[in-house]
Amino acid sequence: MSFVTLNEVLADAQKRHYAVGAFNTNNMEIVQAIVEAAEEERAPVILQASQGALKYAGIRYITAMIQAAAQNATVPVVLHLDHGTSFAQAMQCLRHGFSSVMFDGSKYPLAENIALTRQVVEVAHAMGVSVEGELGRIGGTEDDISVEEKDAFFTDPEEAADFVAATEVDALAVAIGTAHGPYKGEPVLDFARLKAIKEKTGAALVLHGASGVPAESIKKAIEIGVCKINIDTELRQAFTRAAKGVLAENPDEIDPRKILGPAKEAMKAVIKEKMRLFGCSGKA
Ligand code: G3H
Ligand code: 13P
Ligand code: ZN
């Protein structure tokens, strides 16, 4: 099956009030864990490559690995750029066959964010590729975008309405209290703000930094209108915990397959759990 765009999976998610999981991938085991989980759960799925992933594996490997996995998949698969940093990078992804890109202009002033995002939308839409934009700053650290807690600020609903109307993005990432990476305490989400953003924009909303967010908060966010949920940290934790477990039990193990195989399975179990929580299991 060839890749589908965000619109193809998020339209049904919005109609039937569930969210599609967007999982970050960096290597073959992670690609397999995500696609196998999606097949077993009969769930539409988004595989996304971050700046770090593109640096680590290179765009050719990322696309080739995900293409190989999607070829035999019977569920809808989106190949998405996560936190894209420039027009040039978005164009590179289009050329390599991504079906969707995020342009993260959240570090720019509103007018500049709108202008830069709009540039990407014009070309991407002409090529049949969907675009996610970001407004407001999501806390935590990402490669090339470092956001100090004090700089992080939430999405303004009025600005969000202007942003969506002017850019015509297909999905909007919002800052409502989540952060990338592990949380120190329990994250507190601003649901009133989320509701206002949904009412004013009508847009498909994206929750970043969803690892470590309690199940009840995830469910409430979906009820209000979040239909794409990004998960990376919890996958890394499961993978590394399992690999460490193998080595702790058998310190002489030298076969990478015996270390990475269980790590992949542990990651797959977390992905399946998230798909059930997001309500996308059984929707493909
Ligand atoms: O958005 C952040 C993701 O967790 C990706 O992080 O650039 O280290 O791959 P990364
Ligand atoms: P976490 O690593 O906190 O799950 O966030 C993932 C994310 O938002 C990727 O864009
Ligand atoms: Zn993110």
Side-chain angles (χ1 to χ4, degrees):
M1 193 187 262
S2 57
F3 298 125
V4 300
T5 69
L6 281 187
N7 295 321
E8 280 154 274
V9 293
L10 299 188
D12 187 64
Q14 283 179 287
K15 210 184 316 152
R16 294 205 275 167
H17 303 287
Y18 64 90
V20 180
F23 302 99
N24 286 77
T25 185
N26 296 277
N27 67 14
M28 184 191 76
E29 284 77 11
I30 304 176
V31 170
Q32 290 177 335
I34 300 167
V35 176
E36 285 173 22
E39 284 287 320
E40 286 169 28
E41 288 296 313
R42 304 301 314 150
V45 71
I46 300 160
L47 286 94
Q48 53 189 16
S50 68
Q51 300 305 299
L54 293 174
K55 264 185 219 152
Y56 176 74
I59 194 163
R60 282 179 199 281
Y61 278 86
I62 288 287
T63 46
M65 286 187 298
I66 301 176
Q67 262 154 8
Q71 238 158 39
N72 293 325
T74 57
V75 296
V77 177
V78 181
L79 170 52
H80 182 72
L81 169 67
D82 191 28
H83 294 286
T85 50
S86 68
F87 178 80
Q89 183 178 60
M91 295 307 106
Q92 200 193 17
C93 289
L94 260 57
R95 195 171 98 76
H96 279 84
F98 279 55
S99 60
S100 187
V101 292
M102 175 181 190
F103 176 75
D104 180 356
S106 60
K107 66 178 174 189
Y108 299 105
L110 178 64
E112 211 173 337
N113 188 0
I114 289 177
L116 292 168
T117 306
R118 178 67 203 164
Q119 269 187 340
V120 174
V121 169
E122 276 180 15
V123 184
H125 281 184
M127 301 283 289
V129 166
S130 52
V131 180
E132 174 182 341
E134 178 173 325
L135 190 63
R137 306 269 288 271
I138 295 158
T141 356
E142 301 144 8
D143 277 7
D144 297 338
I145 308 164
S146 222
V147 187
E148 295 297 323
E149 296 265 337
K150 61 179 166 51
D151 280 337
F153 58 88
F154 289 180
T155 308
D156 179 86
E158 299 285 348
E159 285 188 2
D162 293 345
F163 181 86
V164 170
T167 60
E168 296 185 58
V169 287
D170 304 286
L172 177 69
V174 293
I176 57 158
T178 56
H180 292 109
Y183 289 96
K184 288 181 197 101
E186 189 168 297
V188 179
L189 306 198
D190 188 343
F191 292 113
R193 181 179 297 270
L194 182 64
K195 201 158 183 277
I197 297 168
K198 182 68 193 173
E199 280 166 7
K200 294 220 179 280
T201 64
L205 302 180
V206 185
L207 191 68
H208 283 243
S211 292
V213 174
E216 282 319 304
S217 297
I218 292 284
K219 283 187 193 158
K220 202 161 171 195
I222 295 171
E223 239 169 68
I224 296 172
V226 163
C227 59
K228 171 178 182 274
I229 301 186
N230 288 10
I231 297 276
D232 189 3
T233 298
E234 279 192 64
L235 305 191
R236 296 177 178 191
Q237 287 167 335
F239 193 93
T240 307
R241 204 181 303 120
K244 279 183 179 167
V246 171
L247 290 170
E249 266 179 42
N250 188 358
D252 296 328
E253 183 57 68
I254 58 134
D255 185 345
R257 295 168 299 188
K258 302 258 170 66
I259 303 164
L260 299 181
K264 170 189 146 183
E265 291 304 321
M267 193 179 241
K268 190 166 141 185
V270 173
I271 296 165
K272 290 173 80 166
E273 206 179 281
K274 293 294 174 193
M275 287 171 163
R276 288 178 204 153
L277 172 64
F278 300 165
C280 58
S281 289
K283 298 297 198 302

